[in-house]
Amino acid sequence: MRRWLRPWRWILCALLSGGATLAAEVMGARLLRSMLGSTSIAQTAAVSGVLLGLGAGAHLAGRALTRGAVTPRRLLVIAHLALGLFAALAPTLAYALAAPIARLLVGADAASPALGNTLRALVGLATTALPGALAGSAFPALVTAGGWRGGEGTAWVGAANSLGAAAAASLATFVLAPAVGVSWTVRLAGLTYAAVAAVAATSPPIPLSRNG
C-alpha cells in the first residue's frame, strides 16, 4: 500500500470532523439568533467563539500530546463524543434559554446599549468557545495519529478538514436545513461527530514515518 494511503482512516476523520464543525457553526448561529436578537451579531459571535476555541484547543492538545499526557486516539474519541453530545442537546437548550436570555438582553439594552452588546458577546463566547476547543484538539491529534512527520501531516489534515468544512457548509445550508430544519441539521452534525469517534476508536495510530 502506498505510504500516503496508510493513514486514510485519519484523513477520513479530518474530513468528517471539519464538516461537522462548520455545519454546526453555521446552524448554531441560527440558534443563537433567537437569543441574541440579531442575525449579524449571532453570526459574529458564533464565528469568533469557534475560532477562539479552535486555536486554544489545538494549542492545549498539542502540548498534552507532546508531554504524553494523552494518546491521540483517546483524545479524538473523547472530544468527538463530547461534541456529539453537545450537538444533540444544543437545539433543546437553545430554545429553552432563548426567552430568558432575550429578556435579560432587552433589560441590559435599556440600561446601556454597550452593556447589552457586551452581554451578547459573552453569551456567544460562552456557548461556542468550548465546542470550538474540542474541535480544535482534533487537529494535532490527527496529525500525530496519522504518523506523519513535519509539514506532511499538517497538509493532509488541513486539506481534508477544509474540504469537509466547505462541503458541509453548503450541504447544511442549501439541502439539510430546508429539508429537515435547523435543529435536526445540528443533530446530524452530532451523529457525524459520533462517527468520527467510532472510526478513531477502531483505528490504531500509525508509527511516525521515518521518511516524512
Side-chain angles (χ1 to χ4, degrees):
M1 181 181 292
R2 293 187 180 184
R3 183 169 60 84
W4 70 269
L5 283 175
R6 290 187 306 157
W8 69 267
R9 292 182 180 85
W10 304 111
I11 295 173
L12 175 63
C13 284
L15 183 80
L16 294 176
S17 182
T21 296
L22 201 61
E25 177 186 331
V26 172
M27 295 298 106
R30 298 192 186 186
L31 295 177
L32 279 175
R33 181 176 58 190
S34 62
M35 291 188 283
L36 304 184
S38 167
T39 299
S40 61
I41 291 176
Q43 289 174 338
T44 301
V47 171
S48 298
V50 169
L51 289 178
L52 175 65
L54 286 172
H59 174 71
L60 294 173
R63 294 185 63 182
L65 290 165
T66 300
R67 295 196 311 270
V70 65
T71 65
R73 181 165 62 179
R74 182 178 179 84
L75 178 57
L76 286 165
V77 171
I78 292 174
H80 285 84
L81 286 178
L83 284 165
L85 179 62
F86 185 86
L89 297 176
T92 301
L93 292 174
Y95 291 127
L97 295 173
I101 289 179
R103 287 194 296 269
L104 173 65
L105 294 175
V106 169
D109 285 334
S112 167
L115 176 60
N117 287 331
T118 299
L119 289 178
R120 285 181 175 86
L122 291 175
V123 170
L125 289 175
T127 54
T128 57
L130 178 57
L134 291 169
S137 71
F139 202 96
L142 287 166
V143 171
T144 304
W148 291 286
R149 185 184 294 277
E152 184 184 22
T154 303
W156 277 110
V157 173
N161 193 272
S162 297
L163 180 62
S170 297
L171 179 66
T173 301
F174 301 115
V175 179
L176 293 177
V180 300
V182 171
S183 295
W184 278 106
T185 301
V186 173
R187 293 185 179 108
L188 287 173
L191 289 175
T192 305
Y193 282 131
V196 173
V199 173
T202 56
S203 301
I206 298 173
L208 183 66
S209 170
R210 295 183 178 181
N211 300 320

